[in-house]
Amino acid sequence: MATASLETRENRRAWGFVTPALLWTVAFFVIPFIVMAAISLATRKGREIIMAWNFDNYIEFFEKAHLLKGLFVSLEITLTVTIISVILAYPLAWIIAERVPQKWQRMALIMAILPFWTSYVVRSYSWLLVLAQNGVINNTLVYLGVISEPLELASTRSATVIGFVHFFVMLLTLTIYANLVQMPPNYRRAAADLGANGFQVFWHVVLPLTLPGIMVGAFLTFVLCIGDYITPQILGGNNELALPQVIMLQLGRRADFPMAATLSIILMVVVTMAYIACARWLKMERT
Amino acid sequence: MSRHVSTGKTRNKFLSSTATFILGAVAMAQTAQATEELNALVWCDHTDPALIEPFEEKYDVKVNLKEYEGTGAGLSIIEQSRPGDWDVFVIDGVDVHRAVEMGVLAEIPADALPTSDIFPEVVMAENNVVDGKTYAVTEKFGYNTISFDKTKVDPKDMEDMSVIWSDKYAGRIAVYDYYLPVIGLVGLGLGIDTADLGADDMPAIKEKLFAMKKVSKQVGEVVSSQTALATGEVDILVGGGEWITAVLSEEKPNLDWIIPKQGGLRWAQSIGVMKDSEKPDLALKFVQYIMSPEGQARLATSSCYWGMPANAKAGENLTDAQKAALRWDDQEGYLKNSQLYPIPDADLDAEMQDAWVEMLQQ
C-alpha cells in the first residue's frame, strides 16, 4: 500500500516536471503544425483562401518543375555544405583536441567560434564584399597577377556554399571536439600496443568513436542549412532559388499561404527523413 | 585586497546604476519626444529621415515606417495585419483599384489634395478615383527602362529593347527583381502594349524572360541592383531608370538611362489613407505634407531612389542640378513614349509570378 502510494507520488511528481514542457510543445509545435497541415489542404483563388481539403497543392508541387527544383537546389546545397564542413571541421577539432596544449584549448575554441559572435546577416553581407568583383579575393588575385579578369564568385551557388561552410565549420568543430576530448587515450594506446599504425588507429578506433559527434553536427548542419533563407538570398544573387526562398515568395508576393504551408510541410518531411536516417545509423532510437 | 574588491564592487554598482539611469532617461526622453504615432506602409524612398523628420517635428508625432516592394508584398502584409495597424499606404498607382476592392483605402476629400498642381499626365484619375471617389493621389513617378554605364557599353545598343536578351552583353546584365515592370518591358520589346498584355502572350514573353536570365548575372532588389551597377559588377540594369541613376548622378556621372525605341514602363506611386486607420486626420495631414512642394522635393530626392515629383510646384524647391538629374525638362517626350504597368487579373498575375519564378530557376 505504502509502495503504491509512493509510486503514485513519484508519478505525479514526474508529470509535474514533464507537463510544462509538454504544454509548451503542444502550444508551440503540435497545434501550429496541425494548423499548417490544414492550411496546406486549402486553395488560393484570387485573393481568397478556400478550405478545399484536397491535395492540389502537393500535386502542383510535383507538377511544376520550378517548385520541385527548389527542393533539389536545397538538397544539393545542403549536402555539399555538410560534406565540406565535416571535412574541414574534423582536422580543426583534432588539432585543437590533440595538438594544442590543454591550457590553450579553451582559447583555441573561442578563436574557432569567434565568427559566431557576429550577426548572421552581417556575416553574409561581409562575404558578399569579400567575393564581389571588386572584393578582397578578386583584387588580391588581380594584384598578384594570378588572374587578369575578376572571377565570378558572388551571386553564385559557390558563394552560398562558402557562406554556409564558414558558419557550419564552427558548429561541427564544437561537436567533434566534444567527442574527441571525451575519448580515453587508453583506447589509442591499446590499439598501438596491438600493432596498429597511426592510420589504423584513426580508422578503426578514433573515427568510429567520434562518429556520433560527426553525425550530430552533420544533422544540425543539415537542418539549419536546408531551412535557411538569408544566405542563399544574399549570396546566391537570386540565380536559383532554394526551397525556403520559394516559400518566402509564396508568402511575400502572393500571400499564397496554402502553397507556402505545403512547401513547409515538404521541408519538414525531408528533415524528418534525415533525422530517421541519422538516428538509425547511430543506433539512437530506443529499443 | 578586500578593500580593493569592495571598491570594485562599489564602482560596478555605481556604473550599473548610472547606466540604468541613462537608459531610463533615454527611454523617457523618447516617450516624451512624440505624443502620437503614425504607422505607414511605404516604399523605401519614404524612409529617408530628411523627408520624415520635418513632419514628425511639426506634428509632434513618431512615424513608424515599414517598407515593402511590389503590391503583392504590400497587400500580403496588410492581410497579415490587424485592422487599424496601418494609417498610410503607398501603393503602385495602377493597383489602387485592387486596394479599393479589398476595402483597404479610405476616401480622401478631393479638395484636400493639390490636384491642380499635379502634372496632368500623372493625375491618373482612372486609377486613383473609383466611382467618383478619390482614394489615393499620385505622389511620384518615373520610368522602368534600361540603366547602363555609358563608358562600358555602346549607348546606341541600348536604344533597342532586344539588347536585354541578346548575347552581346552576356554576364554584364542585372535584372530588377520585380516581375510586373520587367514582364512589361519584355512585352514592349515584343511589340505588345502593356494594356493589351494577356495570357496568350505569356509563352512568347516566357521565352524572352528565360533568354534574358541566361545572359544576366543577377536578379536583385533595389539596393543590390543599384549597388551592382554602381560598383561595376554589371554594366546594364533591366528595369532601371532615373530612380537608379539620378541619386548617383554626382558620384557616378558614367551611369545613364534611356527609353528604348519600343518605349519604357512608367511607374507611378500613389499614397492614400487606410480605411481602418484610427488616426485618419493625422494620416491625411501626412499625405498632404508629402504632396506639398517641400515634401515633394524631399521625396523626389530621397536617399533610397530619386523620381519625378507629381506636384509641378516641387520644382521651386529643387536645385538646377537636381532637376537636371531628374531630367525635368525632358518629361514631355518621356511621358509620350512610356506606358503604365500591366494590370493583370488574379489569374494572369499568378501566371506572371509563376513565369518569374520559373525564370529565376533557369
Side-chain angles (χ1 to χ4, degrees):
Chain A
M1 185 69 184
T3 312
S5 169
L6 184 67
E7 201 173 313
T8 310
R9 276 210 308 274
E10 284 292 322
N11 272 342
R12 278 186 193 152
R13 239 180 106 194
W15 275 109
F17 282 120
V18 170
T19 304
L22 270 177
L23 287 175
W24 180 274
T25 307
V26 169
F28 296 106
F29 179 74
V30 178
I31 293 174
F33 179 77
I34 291 169
V35 171
M36 192 166 76
I39 291 174
S40 76
L41 303 177
T43 305
R44 175 94 183 173
K45 291 277 179 204
R47 298 206 68 82
E48 280 180 38
I49 292 172
I50 299 158
M51 283 312 297
W53 301 107
N54 60 38
F55 290 92
D56 285 1
N57 291 320
Y58 292 90
I59 293 165
E60 195 178 333
F61 170 76
F62 288 103
E63 281 178 352
K64 288 190 171 172
H66 60 278
L67 295 178
L68 194 57
K69 191 180 173 188
L71 177 60
F72 287 120
V73 168
S74 282
L75 283 172
E76 285 166 16
I77 289 175
T78 302
L79 290 172
T80 309
V81 167
T82 308
I83 291 166
I84 294 175
S85 299
V86 169
I87 291 169
L88 292 178
Y90 201 98
L92 182 60
W94 171 269
I95 289 167
I96 294 172
E98 300 293 329
R99 292 286 176 264
V100 175
Q102 205 162 7
K103 64 176 180 177
W104 293 109
Q105 282 187 9
R106 189 181 291 264
M107 179 58 72
L109 267 183
I110 290 173
M111 296 298 286
I113 62 165
L114 206 57
F116 261 131
W117 297 0
T118 56
S119 152
Y120 186 38
V121 176
V122 170
R123 208 164 42 236
S124 294
Y125 272 112
S126 303
W127 270 112
L128 197 59
L129 295 176
V130 171
L131 300 170
Q133 198 170 333
N134 299 318
V136 178
I137 292 176
N138 270 321
N139 281 347
T140 307
L141 292 176
V142 170
Y143 177 76
L144 295 173
V146 179
I147 53 173
S148 55
E149 290 291 320
L151 301 170
E152 295 289 336
L153 297 173
S155 302
T156 61
R157 181 186 287 194
S158 303
T160 305
V161 169
I162 289 170
F164 272 137
V165 166
H166 177 224
F167 182 75
F168 291 117
V169 160
M170 297 179 277
L171 182 76
L172 272 153
T173 302
L174 284 178
T175 59
I176 297 170
Y177 170 83
N179 234 213
L180 280 168
V181 293
Q182 283 172 3
M183 192 169 54
N186 290 349
Y187 291 3
R188 274 172 286 169
R189 285 184 204 140
D193 283 348
L194 292 169
N197 61 28
F199 177 76
Q200 286 171 323
V201 171
F202 170 75
W203 191 252
H204 295 293
V205 179
V206 177
L207 188 60
L209 288 173
T210 50
L211 212 49
I214 296 172
M215 291 310 294
V216 167
F219 176 67
L220 286 174
T221 302
F222 187 93
V223 172
L224 295 172
C225 188
I226 204 165
D228 189 274
Y229 162 76
I230 301 287
T231 302
Q233 187 69 21
I234 294 174
L235 294 172
N238 258 354
N239 280 322
E240 60 182 0
L241 299 176
L243 197 55
Q245 289 175 287
V246 180
I247 294 172
M248 280 302 292
L249 281 179
Q250 308 305 316
L251 290 172
R253 291 196 179 166
R254 307 177 73 158
D256 192 345
F257 294 96
M259 181 51 85
T262 303
L263 299 178
S264 301
I265 295 274
I266 288 166
L267 196 59
M268 283 189 70
V269 168
V270 172
V271 170
T272 307
M273 284 164 66
Y275 172 76
I276 290 168
C278 287
R280 280 184 178 171
W281 196 17
L282 295 172
K283 296 186 169 54
M284 284 167 68
E285 74 272 22
R286 288 168 186 272
T287 51
Chain B
M1 184 67 186
S2 69
R3 182 180 164 80
H4 175 75
V5 171
S6 167
T7 309
K9 276 184 179 170
T10 308
R11 188 177 61 228
N12 288 344
K13 209 170 179 179
F14 171 74
L15 287 173
S16 160
S17 306
T18 309
T20 309
F21 174 76
I22 291 170
L23 287 173
V26 168
M28 281 175 69
Q30 280 178 340
T31 311
Q33 266 174 5
T35 51
E36 267 195 290
E37 292 194 8
L38 194 74
N39 299 321
L41 191 55
V42 297
W43 291 7
C44 72
D45 55 343
H46 289 67
T47 59
D48 188 348
L51 170 68
I52 299 301
E53 281 175 1
F55 178 81
E56 288 183 325
E57 284 166 18
K58 186 176 177 183
Y59 291 101
D60 187 24
V61 61
K62 172 85 180 80
V63 181
N64 301 312
L65 301 154
K66 178 165 177 63
E67 62 177 86
Y68 74 93
E69 276 185 57
T71 302
L75 296 177
S76 178
I77 292 168
I78 290 169
E79 283 184 357
Q80 293 167 54
S81 307
R82 291 168 305 179
D85 275 357
W86 303 105
D87 303 300
V88 174
F89 189 30
V90 171
I91 183 172
D92 216 316
V94 296
D95 290 320
V96 172
H97 273 256
R98 277 170 75 183
V100 173
E101 279 167 21
M102 282 176 66
V104 164
L105 292 171
E107 185 185 354
I108 302 177
D111 57 0
L113 301 170
T115 310
S116 58
D117 297 335
I118 295 175
F119 288 103
E121 294 89 343
V122 297
V123 170
M124 294 171 59
E126 67 280 13
N127 298 90
N128 292 319
V129 180
V130 180
D131 296 334
K133 294 176 183 172
T134 303
Y135 288 93
V137 56
T138 311
E139 55 167 16
K140 189 171 175 179
F141 69 98
Y143 308 93
N144 286 110
T145 60
I146 300 173
S147 288
F148 56 94
D149 185 333
K150 61 188 173 194
T151 62
K152 293 186 180 168
V153 301
D154 184 350
K156 282 217 167 300
D157 289 340
M158 304 300 122
E159 290 173 9
D160 192 329
M161 192 73 80
S162 64
V163 73
I164 66 177
W165 55 73
S166 78
D167 290 331
K168 184 167 182 182
Y169 297 104
R172 296 159 64 188
I173 298 173
V175 180
Y176 173 42
D177 184 14
Y178 187 10
Y179 68 103
L180 266 183
V182 177
I183 286 177
L185 281 176
V186 170
L188 287 181
L190 293 170
I192 306 161
D193 285 352
T194 54
D196 302 331
L197 203 154
D200 295 343
D201 302 312
M202 286 310 293
I205 286 174
K206 268 167 76 169
E207 188 190 328
K208 293 301 178 194
L209 277 177
F210 297 170
M212 182 183 71
K213 175 69 187 336
K214 204 173 163 189
V215 296
S216 68
K217 184 177 180 183
Q218 69 170 68
V219 184
E221 33 66 57
V222 175
V223 178
S224 70
S225 299
Q226 196 174 41
T227 306
L229 190 64
T231 58
E233 292 275 321
V234 297
D235 301 326
I236 296 169
L237 173 60
V238 180
E242 81 299 335
W243 59 283
I244 287 285
T245 57
V247 71
L248 300 166
S249 55
E250 284 185 17
E251 298 163 50
K252 298 276 178 187
N254 52 319
L255 301 185
D256 203 351
W257 63 281
I258 192 171
I259 294 184
K261 64 184 181 194
Q262 293 96 333
L265 264 278
R266 186 166 82 236
W267 56 266
Q269 57 194 67
S270 293
I271 186 168
V273 173
M274 295 293 284
K275 193 175 181 182
D276 293 320
S277 169
E278 290 166 4
K279 300 156 194 162
D281 296 336
L282 187 61
L284 181 59
K285 282 195 175 80
F286 184 76
V287 172
Q288 287 172 322
Y289 161 70
I290 292 291
M291 292 309 297
S292 69
E294 297 80 17
Q296 284 279 280
R298 290 178 193 129
L299 181 67
T301 55
S302 156
S303 57
C304 186
Y305 64 89
W306 287 26
M308 276 293 291
N311 189 333
K313 285 190 174 172
E316 297 161 10
N317 296 78
L318 292 167
T319 66
D320 288 343
Q322 288 171 330
K323 283 167 129 178
L326 288 167
R327 302 199 186 163
W328 190 276
D329 296 329
D330 299 327
Q331 291 302 315
E332 195 181 337
Y334 292 160
L335 285 164
K336 273 185 194 157
N337 197 24
S338 59
Q339 300 181 20
L340 289 172
Y341 277 26
I343 311 176
D345 59 22
D347 289 339
L348 181 57
D349 189 59
E351 198 174 339
M352 284 179 168
Q353 295 209 38
D354 273 348
W356 192 253
V357 179
E358 261 186 84
M359 179 205 74
L360 291 174
Q361 290 288 39
Q362 291 294 305

